[in-house]
Every structure is written in C-alpha cells, then in structure tokens.
Amino acid sequence: MYLDCGHEILAVSIAAGYTKLTGRMQVVLLHAGAGLLQGSMAIFGARLTETPMLVLSGESQSFGEGEFDPGPQWYRSLNVVGGPQRLVEPVVKIALQTPSVSTLYQSVVRAGELAQHSPQGPTYVCVSMESMIESWSRPTRIPYVPAPPKLQPATGDIARVAEQLSHANCPFIFAESVGGNEDAFRALVELAELLAIPVIDAPGAAYPTFPNVTVFISVSMQRLTSMRSISLCWSRTRRHGFRPAMHRATPRLFRSRNDP
C-alpha cells in the first residue's frame, strides 16, 4: 500500500507509529534536499525510540551533462555537496548512496536489514534519478535475509543478577525504554511484583515503563543520585546508564537492554 502525504514530518511519523503498533517496518520516500531536512526531526525521533525504518530520497549524478536532463531543480534541491546522505548521517544508523542501478537492490536490502538489527533505528539510502530510470532485471536468485537475531544476557550473568537481587537491602529498577518491547514490559512487571522492587521512570522516557494500576515511583535525577541507602540498582536504558554521585557510597549497578 502506498500513502501519499503532503508533509515530510507527518509522513515519517505515520510510518513510525504504524511500526510501533504492528511491528512491521515501513519505507518512507522523501523529496531531495529540503524534504529530507524537513523530515529529519521525525527521523531523529525514530532513532531515539529505536524504531526501524528505511528512508529513501533522490538526487542527480549527471546534472544534465549526459543524455538525461533532471531539469532546473538540480541547482535548487539536488546539488548537496557530497550527496544528500550527508544531511542525515548524524540521525540514522547508516546512510548509503547508490549511484548505479546495479547496486540499488542490494543496498535497499542491506539497509532494511540493518534497520531491524538491535539497536533498531532508521537507515537511509540515496537513490540517483539516473539509476531509477535505468533498466533493471530481477535477480534470478533472491538472497535469503535472516530475521534479526534476538539478543539476551548470558545465563551466568542472569544468575548473578538474580543472586544479588535476592540479597539486596534496598534495590530499585531504573527504567527508560522497556515499554517499547511488550515481552520486556510484562517481564519487568512480573519481576517487580515478585520481589517487591520499586520501578523508577527515567526522565524523558519515550515509552510507558510500568502499568498505571501498579505502585509507581517517580523521583528527580538529582534526588536519585544523592540516595545513600541504595544497595543495588538495575538500569534498563537504551544508551545511558544510571550514574550515581561519585562522592556517595557507590551502589552495585547492573545494566540491561530491552530484550528480556
């Protein structure tokens, strides 16, 4: 299904929301130059929430010097120095350029594969207008693309954390992005209720981390780093773990990603 949208941020946001609800990664086609920059805010949001997405936009390689004339727009939107991929490199997992139709198919396949690998996020492929109008034949052998691997801690690490939790005097769980994975969300609730461990919501969390019907603790980062009675902290974040104040008694800290 193809959905035509009149605004780049809205197009990327619709794709991200659909993926979050269905679990199926989407492809977004954006206009070259200005359209890519307009959608970069939503692309960056997809990166922060670890939402897989494939973003495509066009450019011109010949600028009318060959048989194909891209028209006057080449000097308005298609003359990004180094290619449009440089505009979004800071906000995507990888930015590729396909100057030839020979590499277009595999570049799209590879970018889609990388977008779904943990940590998930948007990837970008720059497709030239010349390669889009070239003739192309479907490969006789379509390469097999395996499902992204599911990561989880080693069994020995899980056993050590369980032992530390069972002997901790005042444990708590500092959660940020666990709500993005339904299995991890349910596992967190089960663990917290089993051991009566409070769950603290990270400031600026992109997802709900705990049901509203359950006791929920929310404290400021400044108060959290000044607590003296912590014996064990289990951090579930995307990139940045909990950093206790260095002048306090340092608690034992375990960090885990979203995969249960």
Side-chain angles (χ1 to χ4, degrees):
M1 182 182 70
Y2 175 78
L3 178 63
D4 188 9
C5 187
H7 196 282
E8 289 83 3
I9 289 182
L10 183 58
V12 176
S13 299
I14 290 174
Y18 185 86
T19 299
K20 291 176 183 176
L21 286 175
T22 65
R24 296 194 294 270
M25 186 186 74
Q26 300 298 296
V27 178
V28 183
L29 307 179
L30 299 180
H31 189 275
L36 191 58
L37 287 174
Q38 179 68 43
S40 62
M41 180 72 75
I43 296 174
F44 184 52
R47 178 68 185 273
L48 292 178
T49 56
E50 296 188 9
T51 303
M53 179 185 302
L54 176 57
V55 181
L56 304 173
S57 74
E59 66 163 338
S60 175
Q61 292 285 338
S62 64
F63 301 116
E65 296 297 328
E67 297 181 0
F68 171 71
D69 182 9
Q73 70 267 22
W74 76 264
Y75 57 84
R76 292 200 308 267
S77 302
L78 303 176
N79 64 341
V80 180
V81 177
Q85 68 275 7
R86 295 189 62 189
L87 300 176
V88 293
E89 281 179 345
V91 296
V92 296
K93 290 185 64 176
I94 189 172
L96 305 175
Q97 185 183 44
T98 57
S100 169
V101 70
S102 302
T103 59
L104 175 58
Y105 177 78
Q106 287 297 340
S107 295
V108 170
V109 171
R110 182 56 177 161
E113 185 180 8
L114 290 174
Q116 299 176 78
H117 278 231
S118 182
Q120 296 181 332
T123 56
Y124 171 75
V125 177
C126 175
V127 185
S128 69
M129 298 175 67
E130 290 81 359
S131 63
M132 285 190 280
I133 63 175
E134 285 187 54
S135 59
W136 178 75
S137 299
R138 183 182 177 89
T140 54
R141 295 183 59 185
I142 303 298
Y144 169 71
V145 179
K150 185 175 181 179
L151 306 179
Q152 66 180 33
T155 303
D157 293 338
I158 296 176
R160 283 193 294 271
V161 172
E163 182 181 2
Q164 293 290 342
L165 283 173
S166 64
H167 294 89
N169 295 325
C170 184
F172 72 88
I173 299 173
F174 187 71
E176 179 185 0
S177 59
V178 63
N181 183 303
E182 184 177 355
D183 292 336
F185 183 87
R186 296 180 184 277
L188 176 61
V189 173
E190 182 179 359
L191 174 65
E193 292 182 344
L194 177 65
L195 300 180
I197 302 177
V199 176
I200 299 176
D201 186 24
Y207 300 96
T209 58
F210 223 66
N212 292 331
V213 296
T214 309
V215 177
F216 186 80
I217 296 178
S218 179
V219 298
S220 67
M221 181 64 71
Q222 291 77 11
R223 168 143 189 143
L224 186 61
T225 56
S226 65
M227 296 174 67
R228 293 178 178 271
S229 59
I230 303 172
S231 63
L232 186 141
C233 166
W234 188 14
S235 174
R236 293 189 58 85
T237 64
R238 286 191 300 272
R239 301 173 184 85
H240 308 293
F242 167 66
R243 301 292 191 273
M246 297 306 296
H247 62 281
R248 305 290 183 180
T250 303
R252 292 174 180 167
L253 172 64
F254 298 95
R255 185 180 179 190
S256 172
R257 292 193 56 80
N258 292 344
D259 305 285

